[in-house]
Amino acid sequence: MIVTDDQRWDTLDVMPTVQAELVGKGVTFTNAFAVNPVCCPSRASILTGTWSHTNGVWDVAGDHGGFQRFDDSSTLATWLDAAGYRSGMLGKYLNGYKGTVYRPPGWDEWFAFTSNPNAYFDFGATDGTSELLFGSDPGEYATDVLAERADAFIRSAGPEPLFLYLAPKAPHIGGPGRHTTPAPRHAGAFAGLDPWQPPNLNEPQAGDKPLHIRSLAPVPLEEIAGLRQTNLESLLAVDEMVARVLAALADTGRLEDTLIVLTSDNGFGWGEHRRAHKIVPYEESIRVPLVVRWDALGAVGTRDAASLNVDLAPTIAAAVGVDAPGAEGRDLLPLLRGEPVRWRKRFLIEAWMRPKWRIPPYCGFRGERWKYVQYETGEEELYDLAQDPYELRSLHRTLLPVAMRHRQLVRQSPCRPPGYTPLPDCTRYGTSGPDVIRGRLRPEWICARGGRDVIRAREGGRDVVRCGRGRDVAYVDRADSVRGCEIVKRSR
């Protein structure tokens, strides 16, 4: 399993080995997502198959995140280790891991970044017994160090089966400004790229985006250009690392029966919606690359079913033939085989980060057509992805019934970031006694409760009225939806 860091889903085309040897000889999941688009929470989900609301890892540090928050007693590594696999973790483990002698259970080989973890040179790592320091020589470039160790891990193995978790830093920013540091041999390889100009670049439209996005200053175009260029250049060393891993597998006779997974912990914005970062629920942040090659299975092509980072652990466990205790994701093997299978139509996304990150906690659902997000601030977003794939215009006010159905989904879901209270599934409520509820001149979702209520919802657009106990009277327009009201008087 190769897990890059902050790699966008749409960047695989700059990696020739990945294109020829993984995409060309495996299955590409064209709709792959991280359910919490942040490094540490996503990696916790990858290793356990659980959402943040289950594993408790919401942030990269602090009381609700980081290495110290993660329960490592039951992970993909422990499951496979118990089944006789020789397991190795090389690269980035979890944010906040800085110990030099602690090796989490299940790992036989251990090489984890420690000090200066986002730097490509001049960083520290540990083999589980002592700290190793790397300098600035070209041969000490982080991705190349991992490639050499991955090669050695495979070639030195005995007859036992292997599990390798290979986690390079690339293309995470780790250079001057908001840039990535490519290997010296690749610096400038993508100089002169055409300008990045998607429709949502440095947008939000006033009123459609929540305040925390509207208040961001546009990302300077030169910053976007430098970020994009160095991001892509850093992936060239990852591509060469993949080639070296494949060669080691082939030379040792393991390639045909090795399940190879390439993915990322989350995506990253290149200035879309004024965001050059992750965490947000927009497509650039939650979508990730996912390619699976398994020659013994013989599956090649693409799959468009929604696949999630929580699916990876149960998929690998199923391939090995072991249980995945506690996993909440689904086994992707039936999709890999091309079997007809009932699959999810929507999935939960969630996030909670400390105030310094300026993104309020949120819960939401991403479906085949609709994406709905509800923030701790009470702000909402609703996008019709079929008509608005760049998420330019939120419809949470104009398509109130769709928004309210998603409010209900959030309330029914287990998504409860720390301190988060979901919005009610009605815009206005009655009391337990008799009420007169007067509608306003905009669409509403009105819920009466008990008593003899009178609801006057006329002239409010396409309202939804739900009556409760008691003999209720609803004065509504012809286009309004009414349920449970004993007397309904519609306008002519």
Side-chain angles (χ1 to χ4, degrees):
M1 178 184 285
I2 301 167
V3 182
T4 56
D5 196 341
D6 291 359
Q7 183 178 0
R8 292 171 60 105
W9 70 279
D10 53 0
T11 58
L12 291 178
D13 59 346
V14 305
M15 306 173 75
T17 298
V18 168
Q19 284 293 317
E21 299 297 326
L22 299 188
V23 174
K25 297 179 180 180
V27 171
T28 301
F29 288 84
T30 57
N31 286 292
F33 301 88
V35 297
N36 185 335
V38 185
C39 297
C40 195
S42 179
R43 291 167 190 268
S45 292
I46 289 172
L47 290 170
T48 64
T50 59
W51 266 263
S52 296
H53 62 254
T54 296
N55 60 51
V57 180
W58 291 96
D59 202 342
V60 298
D63 294 339
H64 300 291
F67 162 73
Q68 72 280 357
R69 190 70 176 84
F70 182 57
D71 180 359
D72 57 20
S73 62
S74 178
T75 67
L76 187 54
T78 64
W79 310 338
L80 270 61
D81 185 64
Y85 276 68
R86 180 168 178 256
S87 57
M89 202 301 298
L90 307 179
K92 180 175 180 177
Y93 183 50
L94 296 174
N95 300 72
Y97 174 82
K98 295 180 180 179
T100 57
V101 296
Y102 178 74
R103 178 185 299 185
W107 301 106
D108 301 302
E109 183 93 1
W110 184 254
F111 180 80
F113 297 136
T114 53
S115 59
N116 212 5
N118 292 328
Y120 291 78
F121 291 107
D122 301 308
F123 60 90
T126 179
D127 58 6
T129 59
S130 60
E131 186 170 30
L132 311 172
L133 299 177
F134 294 83
S136 56
D137 291 341
E140 296 178 283
Y141 184 68
T143 306
D144 295 342
V145 170
L146 292 186
E148 182 176 351
R149 287 181 171 267
D151 182 88
F153 175 79
I154 296 168
R155 294 183 186 276
S156 65
E160 73 273 29
L162 301 179
F163 169 53
L164 175 59
Y165 182 87
L166 186 53
K169 302 179 181 188
H172 193 290
I173 57 175
R178 296 187 59 81
H179 292 181
T180 303
T181 302
R185 63 187 178 277
H186 298 138
F190 289 107
L193 285 171
D194 291 337
W196 184 242
Q197 295 178 323
N200 54 7
L201 184 66
N202 275 328
E203 171 270 346
Q205 295 179 358
D208 282 338
K209 294 291 184 293
L211 180 61
H212 62 272
I213 296 294
R214 299 201 311 270
S215 62
L216 292 175
V219 184
L221 296 181
E222 60 272 17
E223 181 178 315
I224 295 171
L227 170 63
R228 179 171 170 242
Q229 176 187 332
T230 56
N231 265 202
L232 297 178
E233 290 171 353
S234 73
L235 290 173
L236 296 177
V238 177
D239 193 65
E240 293 172 353
M241 181 185 71
V242 171
R244 191 163 179 178
V245 167
L246 293 172
L249 290 171
D251 292 347
T252 56
R254 294 179 179 272
L255 181 58
E256 181 179 356
D257 198 36
T258 296
L259 173 64
I260 303 167
V261 178
L262 172 69
T263 190
S264 181
D265 53 1
N266 47 257
F268 203 84
W270 286 343
E272 295 91 345
H273 311 296
R274 300 186 181 180
R275 187 78 177 158
H277 214 281
K278 48 205 171 187
I279 307 174
V280 291
Y282 305 127
E283 295 292 282
E284 299 81 16
S285 186
I286 65 173
R287 294 190 73 165
V288 295
L290 178 57
V291 187
V292 179
R293 173 180 169 179
W294 193 5
D295 292 357
L297 198 63
V300 178
T302 59
R303 306 289 186 269
D304 60 4
S307 52
L308 312 179
N309 57 352
V310 294
D311 296 333
L312 299 179
T315 298
I316 293 174
V320 170
V322 300
D323 292 335
E328 297 168 319
R330 296 189 61 178
D331 173 11
L332 297 173
L333 292 181
L335 295 180
L336 278 172
R337 299 188 187 102
E339 298 172 356
V341 59
R342 291 177 62 87
W343 203 251
R344 59 174 68 95
K345 299 297 184 182
R346 69 174 73 91
F347 57 89
L348 175 69
I349 54 176
E350 57 186 4
W352 182 95
M353 292 287 281
R354 287 162 294 157
K356 64 173 284 189
W357 298 100
R358 301 184 61 185
I359 304 299
Y362 63 78
C363 299
F365 281 87
R366 202 281 191 186
E368 294 176 330
R369 178 179 179 183
W370 302 106
K371 179 191 286 184
Y372 172 82
V373 183
Q374 182 185 123
Y375 297 92
E376 183 185 45
T377 57
E379 295 169 296
E380 299 171 276
E381 294 178 277
L382 175 69
Y383 297 103
D384 183 347
L385 298 176
Q387 302 296 324
D388 183 19
Y390 292 99
E391 300 165 287
L392 295 171
R393 181 172 177 240
S394 178
L395 304 174
H396 63 284
R397 294 189 183 93
T398 55
L399 291 180
L400 185 63
V402 178
M404 298 310 295
R405 286 199 297 271
H406 282 84
R407 276 198 191 186
Q408 292 173 340
L409 289 174
V410 169
R411 288 181 66 84
Q412 294 164 4
S413 80
C415 180
R416 294 296 183 272
Y420 179 93
T421 301
L423 292 171
D425 51 13
C426 290
T427 57
R428 302 187 71 190
Y429 279 99
T431 68
S432 58
D435 298 296
V436 176
I437 304 174
R438 298 184 183 276
R440 291 169 286 202
L441 296 179
R442 63 170 183 263
E444 293 187 289
W445 196 289
I446 300 172
C447 293
R449 289 181 174 175
R452 299 172 63 90
D453 300 314
V454 177
I455 299 98
R456 299 185 179 275
R458 288 179 178 172
E459 307 299 333
R462 297 177 64 89
D463 299 310
V464 176
V465 178
R466 298 290 182 259
C467 291
R469 299 182 303 275
R471 187 173 178 81
D472 302 322
V473 181
Y475 297 87
V476 296
D477 296 324
R478 300 190 69 83
D480 294 339
S481 171
V482 182
R483 186 176 67 192
C485 302
E486 284 73 20
I487 302 174
V488 179
K489 297 189 176 183
R490 295 188 180 271
S491 60
R492 294 183 179 276

